[in-house]
Amino acid sequence: MQLGDAPTVNYQPLHDIQDVRSIVQGPSALELLMLVETPSGSTEARTLHLGDGAFSKALEWYPHNIDTLTYDRARDLLVLGTGNTVRVVHQARQEVVGTFEPAERGTLHPAGEWIALEHQGEPISVFYQQTWESLSPRELEREKRKAADYA
């Protein structure tokens, strides 16, 4: 972060938190929006003002727990994940403008055309995307040749 003409390192103590889960630039250039874990294990959105060091709760109007948080400053849109639901929220209007399920985390496309959503599907092997038993004999031979090439 740069304040004025010179790069600045700004050390701020963050009290009453266990861990920082995510940090994004907030609505102003001097604000950071954070998702933090409290000592009780719950998560909260907090704002850190880089000018005066004020560290306060954010999004107190939002009625749901927040597990994941991303923010699109240009459009003032938050993408908040709670359990298996992601909500896109216009921060200034305090209004949910979209809800997506099943999803755990979302990120808006820079031009605002798309939203990328993450969710947990069935476990997939990194090495073999399907079991060999489900392949036809021809497909099985092809996969064995590919595996031999990488061995």
Side-chain angles (χ1 to χ4, degrees):
M1 174 55 78
Q2 186 167 328
L3 304 175
D5 295 330
T8 302
V9 176
N10 187 351
Y11 295 98
Q12 294 290 336
L14 303 177
H15 301 289
D16 300 322
I17 67 164
Q18 185 71 28
D19 195 11
V20 177
R21 295 231 181 132
S22 64
I23 302 174
V24 294
Q25 186 174 8
S28 79
L30 290 177
E31 286 180 298
L32 295 178
L33 189 56
M34 307 170 124
L35 182 62
V36 301
E37 183 178 329
T38 66
S40 68
S42 65
T43 55
E44 295 179 351
R46 301 269 181 105
T47 301
L48 174 63
H49 193 280
L50 299 176
D52 62 12
F55 188 56
S56 58
K57 288 186 178 182
L59 311 177
E60 291 188 270
W61 52 268
Y62 187 71
H64 307 284
N65 188 34
I66 302 171
D67 299 326
T68 63
L69 176 149
T70 59
Y71 179 61
D72 182 324
R73 184 175 174 219
R75 289 181 290 280
D76 197 27
L77 293 173
L78 292 155
V79 183
L80 306 173
T82 304
N84 206 25
T85 304
V86 166
R87 293 175 182 87
V88 179
V89 177
H90 191 278
Q91 180 169 287
R93 294 193 314 247
Q94 299 182 357
E95 172 187 11
V96 175
V97 295
T99 301
F100 302 91
E101 293 178 342
E104 295 175 2
R105 177 188 317 270
T107 302
L108 292 171
H109 181 270
E113 297 177 29
W114 307 98
I115 183 169
L117 298 170
E118 295 178 37
H119 69 92
Q120 296 296 317
E122 293 297 317
I124 298 174
S125 168
V126 176
F127 303 104
Y128 302 106
Q129 298 298 314
Q130 58 188 350
T131 63
W132 285 28
E133 293 82 26
S134 65
L135 300 176
S136 70
R138 183 175 165 203
E139 292 170 327
L140 182 58
E141 278 304 312
R142 183 192 68 220
E143 292 303 315
K144 285 181 179 179
R145 283 193 309 273
K146 284 176 17 183
D149 289 344
Y150 292 113

